[in-house]
Every structure is written in structure tokens, then in C-alpha cells.
Amino acid sequence: MVQNFDTTIECAKRLDSEDKLSAYRDLFQIPTNKNGEEEIYFVGNSLGLMPKESVNDVNEELSKWGRYGVKGHGAEGGEVEGPWVTFHEPLTVSMAELVGAKVSEVTIMNTLTVNIHFLLISFYNPTETRNKIIIEENVFPSDYFAIESQVKQRNLDPAEVIVKVPTDNKGVLDVTTILETIKNVGDELALVFLPSVQYYSGQVLPISKITDVAHSVGSLVGIQLAHGVGNIELKLSDWKVDFATWCTYKYLNSGPGSIAACYINEKHINRTDIQRFHGWWGNNLDTRFEMEKNFDNINTADVWQVSNPPILSMVPMKAAIDMIIEVGGVKILREKSIRMSVYFDFLLNNNLHEEIEVITPQDLDSRGCQLSLKVVSNRLSGREVFNALLSSGVSCDWRYPDVIRVAPVPLYNSFVEVYNFVDILKNILKKE
Ligand SMILES: *Cc1c(COP(=O)(O)O)cnc(C)c1O
């Protein structure tokens, strides 16, 4: 990539003036610090900001509840606009676009860890000889707890069946080691469960390659997209992954604890030889309210739905996801994201190369919005630097054992914020 950067604030301002997405920042409410100034909000990888439009949308839905009561469901064929019984349908269409899947392969339901449980019930089917699961050593605890408890539920020993791909001393995975581990476990391998973007290091994994190798040894592949969706381009159908799940409150800006989603490869949808935990929302709408006891399955990924969904949690997805589709999808976000990432690196290299190490891989295909910074200064610890950043009105986060995660998000962050962040960091690290 041609770089025409320099270390002046004018350069940051020029980059913002050339940015086609700069107008979108105004559509979000930016948190303010104690002086009433807008924070540098670099934690969209943890909780994305609120689109202002979502306030109206949620209020509108509440007033629908008030006006119509149960008729709001629209199950009895009333004239309610956007009836709740089919409320998820347009969102599923947009969601499928964001993850590169067919609409029939996507369903919106539950929350992320709950979905890992539901999907493992269907796709972790250990036999006497094929029962191992490959995960990464530095796996997110909630994912690990889900997997470990699912293994125990099958009366298997986690120490025997869970194989962890090691990370290097910085917390980064070596792709060759992942592929070798898959080949070595070979015909004992039941499932590979990995993130598309690793939460600690911000590393992007080559899911297509991993899936091909896993399939070649007869294993299934499940992918965690918590940090991938809305951040990097995804092509789940082309990559042929078997299943995936993601939350919507990080780069999808859909609100704290907002409803999650799943992808199930179409080849698995109508299988009768796998388990699913059923509920009435997986029953065809035509017959759902006849209250029959024979399950009449929907023939899309929606068959995994269990309960009638929390509509008020789903509503903010509308404005948030429409906005991403409107700009031209993640492809367009990614162009700015890469530019920001390269600029960020440039400033860090020029100002702080002796104090800060970026552990996120340099290669642009191996990183998304997030950079994970390790403080290598011998004057201040990482934790001290992090605390100083917080007191300077920067929102970023700390992950044990020793990284500061910062994620400039293309929809609402600016190049000037990146500049100011590095400037603040410089003041913290270089002051006498
Ligand atoms: C954010 C995140 C979660 C959160 O799980 P919830 O069930 O939504 O609370 C789980 N795993 C990973 C890897 C995450 O990044």
C-alpha cells in the first residue's frame, strides 16, 4: 500500500477530509468524558456505539406494544406493520449478506455462548474413535466453559479430548501449527472450533484454508465470529464452514447483550441424523399456532430457533446493520479500516517504537480493526499505561496478562482520533 503519511496533525486532518465514511460518525452518539468532551472511543470491539436512530426505533416498538398489545405479534393476520412474528426476516437477509451466506443458512437467536451450546449439541457427535475437538490455547473463557461442559455432558474427559493449539509467547497463533495439529489428530478429530478473529491479539485466521484441511481429515468446522463480523469480510458459504455463531453488540453496534446469530451450512439443515434442541419457534409458522405435538420443522436454519425472540433487543439491529449495508458492506468498511491500521502503525513506529510493541500480525490479511499493544518500556508497566490512558479520557481495554486493546472502527472513528491517541500515549510514556 502506498503510504503518504507524515507525523503532523495536518496529515490526520487530510486523511479525515478524504474519508468517504466521515459523515457516519454523526449518526452515532459518542460518549463524553468528565469535561463533556467526546471520548476517544476505541472499544467498538467490545461494545459498539449506539446509532441515534435506534432510540426512535426502540420507542416506536414500545409504542406498538402499547397500541396493539398481543396483536403486535401479527399472528392472527392483523394489520400491524412489522409484526413481531416475522420481525427477524429482513434482519436475517441483511445478516446473511454480512457473513457471506445464503439467507436460508442464517438464523437470529439467543446470545453467543448459548448458541455455542445449541450448535455443539448438533455438531459435536463424538464416537469411540473420533471424539477430539481442536481449539486454541488462548481461547475466550466463555467458549472454553461451553466446550468443556459439553464434553463432560457426553461423559468424556476434557483433558483427553480437547486439543489446544499453542500460541507463541506473545499470544499469537502460527497458522502452520494449526494445520499440522489438525493433520496430526487426523481421524480422531470430530470438530475444529476457532475464532475468525482472535479476541486477545486481533489476529485474523485463514478460515478457508483451515476448513479445507479439517474437512480433508473428516472433521467438522465451527467458527466464532464475535470479533469477525462487521470487521473483516466473511464468506462462510464459499469457505464451506459447517457452522458459525456471533454476537451483534461488538462491530455490529446492536446494543449491550443484543441477540446473536448462527450460520448453519445448508448441507446440514435437513439432516435427520443429528440432534437439535427444539422449541416452538423452529416449527413452521403455518402450523405453529395449531399447537400440535408433532414438530413440523422449518427447512432453513430457523429450525434451530427455540423461543419467541426478544423483540426489543432485536430492534437496534435494524439501524445498525442497515447502515453497514448502505455504505456498501464490510468491504467498504474494511478499506478504511486497513488505512487506519496502517496509519496507526506508522505513528507508533515513528513515535514509540522503543516503548510499544504491536503483537497483532503485521500482514494486513491477518489483522482487522483491533491492534493489541504491549508496553515494553521499562519505566512503566502495561497496566500503568492503561490506567493513564483511561484517566486521559480514552476508552480502550486491558486484557490479561498484558495487552492494551485498541480498535479504531471505520464507521465512527477518525484519523484525528488515532493521531490524538498516539499523542496521549507519547505524553504518558515520554514524560519525565
Ligand atoms: C464477546 C465474546 C463472547 C461473549 O459471549 P456472550 O455469550 O455474548 O456473553 C464470547 N466469546 C468470544 C470469543 C467473544 O469475543
Side-chain angles (χ1 to χ4, degrees):
M1 174 176 290
V2 185
Q3 293 187 15
N4 49 349
F5 302 143
D6 62 56
T7 55
T8 64
I9 179 87
E10 284 69 33
C11 173
K13 287 181 181 164
R14 174 178 58 78
L15 292 167
D16 279 332
S17 72
E18 291 166 2
D19 170 19
K20 292 192 228 54
L21 298 180
S22 61
Y24 283 86
R25 178 178 171 89
D26 269 353
L27 304 184
F28 290 89
Q29 184 165 342
I30 312 290
T32 48
N33 64 23
K34 50 186 184 295
N35 304 323
E37 298 152 346
E38 285 182 349
E39 276 181 15
I40 297 181
Y41 192 84
F42 279 176
V43 279
N45 57 340
S46 186
L47 182 65
L49 288 180
M50 184 188 76
K52 292 173 184 165
E53 178 63 25
S54 296
V55 177
N56 302 330
D57 289 349
V58 171
N59 279 330
E60 174 55 29
E61 221 52 46
L62 280 169
S63 76
K64 238 161 84 182
W65 174 26
R67 283 199 308 275
Y68 299 116
V70 73
K71 292 195 201 82
H73 281 301
E76 307 300 331
E79 285 115 59
V80 186
E81 207 184 303
W84 299 322
V85 77
T86 51
F87 197 85
H88 62 285
E89 287 178 0
L91 297 173
T92 310
V93 173
S94 308
M95 196 62 104
E97 189 173 331
L98 295 186
V99 297
K102 296 182 181 160
V103 176
S104 60
E105 294 175 312
V106 172
T107 185
I108 294 173
M109 64 180 205
N110 308 327
T111 47
L112 175 53
T113 311
V114 173
N115 285 341
I116 297 176
H117 280 294
F118 273 90
L119 292 166
L120 289 178
I121 284 297
S122 298
F123 298 111
Y124 178 50
N125 296 304
T127 64
E128 196 79 7
T129 55
R130 191 185 277 281
N131 54 28
K132 303 233 153 111
I133 302 186
I134 288 182
I135 59 172
E136 39 135 6
E137 184 181 24
N138 204 10
V139 58
F140 193 91
S142 195
D143 304 22
Y144 184 73
F145 300 149
I147 290 166
E148 183 189 48
S149 55
Q150 288 278 332
V151 165
K152 288 182 177 167
Q153 194 273 339
R154 314 294 198 278
N155 293 317
L156 293 168
D157 177 4
E160 265 173 38
V161 303
I162 299 178
V163 178
K164 296 176 186 159
V165 181
T167 49
D168 68 14
N169 57 5
K170 291 181 211 150
V172 175
L173 288 155
D174 173 39
V175 174
T176 311
T177 309
I178 298 175
L179 302 178
E180 288 303 316
T181 309
I182 293 171
K183 287 183 206 152
N184 289 342
V185 179
D187 55 16
E188 291 177 28
L189 187 58
L191 179 65
V192 174
F193 190 81
L194 289 170
S196 67
V197 179
Q198 214 280 346
Y199 82 95
Y200 180 83
S201 64
Q203 178 180 19
V204 176
L205 295 177
I207 297 306
S208 173
K209 201 185 277 179
I210 291 169
T211 304
D212 285 349
V213 174
H215 283 169
S216 77
V217 303
S219 170
L220 296 180
V221 177
I223 301 297
Q224 227 284 27
L225 301 174
H227 285 261
V229 70
N231 177 8
I232 57 165
E233 279 186 85
L234 300 165
K235 299 198 159 69
L236 297 180
S237 297
D238 287 354
W239 297 343
K240 302 188 174 65
V241 307
D242 294 284
F243 66 93
T245 182
W246 56 96
C247 52
T248 59
Y249 49 80
K250 293 176 179 169
Y251 296 106
L252 295 188
N253 308 320
S254 300
S258 166
I259 193 162
C262 300
Y263 162 88
I264 291 129
N265 189 298
E266 64 180 350
K267 73 181 176 199
H268 298 303
I269 288 174
N270 290 312
R271 278 175 66 178
T272 50
D273 60 330
I274 56 174
Q275 298 284 326
R276 266 191 318 260
F277 280 173
H278 285 162
W280 67 329
W281 240 247
N283 191 101
N284 265 314
L285 183 54
D286 293 350
T287 55
R288 186 176 303 156
F289 302 106
E290 289 170 10
M291 305 320 246
E292 294 294 336
K293 306 296 183 294
N294 49 330
F295 187 72
D296 171 16
N297 62 287
I298 299 178
N299 62 5
T300 70
D302 281 347
V303 69
W304 267 265
Q305 292 178 130
V306 177
S307 293
N308 85 97
I311 296 295
L312 294 176
S313 140
M314 226 188 253
V315 172
M317 281 173 72
K318 217 154 58 100
I321 294 180
D322 280 355
M323 211 189 293
I324 298 178
I325 303 283
E326 183 191 305
V327 305
V330 181
K331 186 166 184 282
I332 302 298
L333 299 183
R334 181 78 172 131
E335 286 170 10
K336 175 173 170 189
S337 173
I338 286 176
R339 202 163 163 75
M340 283 183 128
S341 185
V342 175
Y343 177 61
F344 209 148
D345 250 358
F346 167 83
L347 291 180
L348 288 172
N349 272 329
N350 271 277
N351 292 294
L352 289 160
H353 70 276
E354 280 170 12
E355 292 86 4
I356 295 288
E357 181 186 5
V358 178
I359 70 159
T360 313
Q362 285 293 317
D363 164 28
L364 295 176
D365 288 335
S366 304
R367 55 161 63 175
C369 293
Q370 176 188 324
L371 293 186
S372 297
L373 313 181
K374 201 169 154 170
V375 176
V376 289
S377 146
N378 45 21
R379 227 170 44 77
L380 291 172
S381 72
R383 188 73 212 196
E384 286 167 330
V385 173
F386 172 68
N387 289 339
L389 282 167
L390 290 191
S391 349
S392 309
V394 175
S395 272
C396 52
D397 68 15
W398 173 257
R399 281 291 173 269
Y400 285 97
D402 62 359
V403 297
I404 298 168
R405 300 190 308 175
V406 283
V409 171
L411 263 180
Y412 50 76
N413 287 126
S414 68
F415 290 88
V416 166
E417 286 180 292
V418 174
Y419 177 90
N420 288 338
F421 174 85
V422 175
D423 201 47
I424 292 170
L425 199 54
K426 206 163 72 180
N427 284 330
I428 294 168
L429 282 156
K430 303 261 197 205
K431 78 171 167 229
E432 296 306 307

